[in-house]
Amino acid sequence: MGSTHTFQQDPRNADIQININGELFHRDQAVISVFDSGFILGDGIWEGLRQHHGVIPFLNKHMKRLWEGAKALDLDLQISQDELKQRLYATLDANGMEDHVHIRLMVSRGIKATPYQDPAVTIGGPTIVIIPEYKNPDPTLNDRGVNLYTVYVRRGYADVQDPRINSHSKLNCIFGCIQAAKAGADEALMLDPHGHVATCNSTHFFIVRDGEVWTSSGDYCLDGITRRNVIDLCKANDIPVYEKNFSVMQAYGADEAFVTGTFAGLTPVFDIDGRTIGDGKRGPMVDRLQALYKDMIAAECGRGRV
């Protein structure tokens, strides 16, 4: 069994420097308090980033999403976007990193005076952690694809917990991930409250039918950066693309399927609930979109650090 986040092990990760609130620590000494809001309650937000050729692509989009999440949580980041960008690049430079790097940027509300949910008992400012690691996606995934399993746990309404916020509170997705793993699948396919396909537990889901690219309405999933980039690429290259409601049955009958994410880009899906998708091989649309996305990354990196 694989995973959309399967990666090649790199021994250099044993000595990475991790940034905690502007200070660098060897990974063995990088710790936060047991009173931290993120540890106690999952009270925080995060971003997954990549570094290619010395540049973090689409960084402004990630910053916008992070700030929108902070605003929704009424969390004062106490740092500007430019300052946080500088901190990200300073961390990469301190590690001598240039390429094939995955970065987890995490922000919690900060230290609590006591283990209690009320933000009023938070002491001081937020905790901001930057973990950069050398991570290359497993290259075999592109040929063997991934298989999905439709799980019972669903992406819920915004009045319960808005699935469009990239929060630390990921139990909904973790339940889905566990069920899919128990079923022998690589990732969970999750439905919305109405039974329409919403997303996967850690990636976004697309199908291809009769030359059209379909993805969910977006009402019950995070507006992923790569998801949006793929939609934009389709529009710019005269590929019909639709954000719409569709069923698992329509996914079973798709010509192709794939998932997207910052880590691995586009990864083909060959099986859903034991049904072979298309001919069980990477199809022409996936090939075309992978090439377009690679060109998009190159163009973004060509603009340099922003």
Side-chain angles (χ1 to χ4, degrees):
M1 188 178 70
S3 164
T4 55
H5 287 74
T6 301
F7 62 93
Q8 297 173 298
Q9 296 292 335
D10 194 311
R12 292 175 294 179
N13 289 328
D15 288 313
I16 57 170
Q17 299 288 313
I18 293 172
N19 193 312
I20 303 177
N21 290 334
E23 293 186 55
L24 292 170
F25 300 87
H26 186 275
R27 67 176 301 151
D28 293 341
Q29 281 78 47
V31 295
I32 60 170
S33 170
V34 294
F35 286 94
D36 190 85
S37 301
F39 174 74
I40 294 173
L41 298 161
D43 182 5
I45 49 178
W46 63 277
E47 289 290 322
L49 309 161
R50 291 285 284 172
Q51 184 191 32
H52 296 277
H53 308 300
V55 174
I56 303 172
F58 318 116
L59 184 52
N60 286 332
K61 293 180 180 180
H62 284 282
M63 291 293 101
K64 181 180 179 182
R65 188 170 67 181
L66 186 75
W67 254 254
E68 285 182 347
K71 187 69 171 289
L73 293 179
D74 197 26
L75 196 166
D76 183 1
L77 293 170
Q78 299 185 16
I79 189 174
S80 71
Q81 291 191 24
D82 284 342
E83 288 170 333
L84 185 51
K85 290 177 189 177
Q86 291 170 10
R87 187 177 294 182
L88 282 162
Y89 277 118
T91 305
L92 293 169
D93 292 343
N95 281 283
M97 292 171 162
E98 283 288 326
D99 211 358
H100 307 301
V101 177
H102 181 263
I103 307 153
R104 178 58 63 95
L105 168 61
M106 297 171 284
V107 182
S108 81
R109 197 177 300 274
I111 306 298
K112 298 283 190 183
T114 187
Y116 180 55
Q117 68 186 38
D118 191 340
V121 300
T122 306
I123 304 169
T127 302
I128 302 177
V129 176
I130 301 167
I131 303 177
E133 293 180 296
Y134 292 102
K135 277 188 179 179
N136 260 332
D138 180 354
T140 68
L141 279 179
N142 204 36
D143 290 320
R144 60 184 172 88
V146 295
N147 67 86
L148 307 180
Y149 182 78
T150 306
V151 297
Y152 75 87
V153 63
R154 300 201 174 190
R155 303 289 283 190
Y157 291 107
D159 61 352
V160 177
Q161 180 174 326
D162 195 336
R164 289 166 291 195
I165 298 175
N166 209 16
S167 74
H168 281 186
S169 303
K170 302 294 288 184
L171 274 180
N172 175 265
C173 296
I174 293 167
F175 277 128
C177 180
I178 291 170
Q179 189 187 356
K182 294 290 186 182
D186 300 319
E187 185 144 345
L189 185 62
M190 303 178 73
L191 309 182
D192 70 21
H194 309 288
H196 304 126
V197 172
T199 187
C200 295
N201 64 273
S202 69
T203 56
H204 289 87
F205 181 69
F206 289 75
I207 62 174
V208 181
R209 291 176 62 99
D210 299 322
E212 298 177 349
V213 176
W214 295 5
T215 191
S216 72
S217 67
D219 293 336
Y220 297 94
C221 68
L222 181 73
D223 190 14
I225 304 300
T226 310
R227 174 185 185 271
R228 183 56 52 189
N229 284 337
V230 168
I231 292 169
D232 290 344
L233 282 172
C234 288
K235 292 177 179 178
N237 290 276
D238 298 320
I239 299 171
V241 61
Y242 299 95
E243 296 176 79
K244 59 185 290 184
N245 291 325
F246 61 93
S247 69
V248 177
M249 183 186 71
Q250 289 172 299
Y252 292 157
D255 302 314
E256 301 177 52
F258 60 93
V259 293
T260 63
T262 296
F263 176 60
L266 281 74
T267 305
V269 173
F270 293 166
D271 181 285
I272 303 173
D273 300 335
R275 279 80 164 180
T276 299
I277 305 305
D279 62 3
K281 299 178 181 178
R282 193 175 67 252
M285 185 65 77
V286 168
D287 279 342
R288 183 180 180 190
L289 289 173
Q290 284 179 333
L292 288 170
Y293 184 65
K294 183 178 179 181
D295 290 343
M296 189 183 203
I297 291 282
E300 179 77 7
C301 292
R303 286 188 274 271
R305 296 183 173 185
V306 295

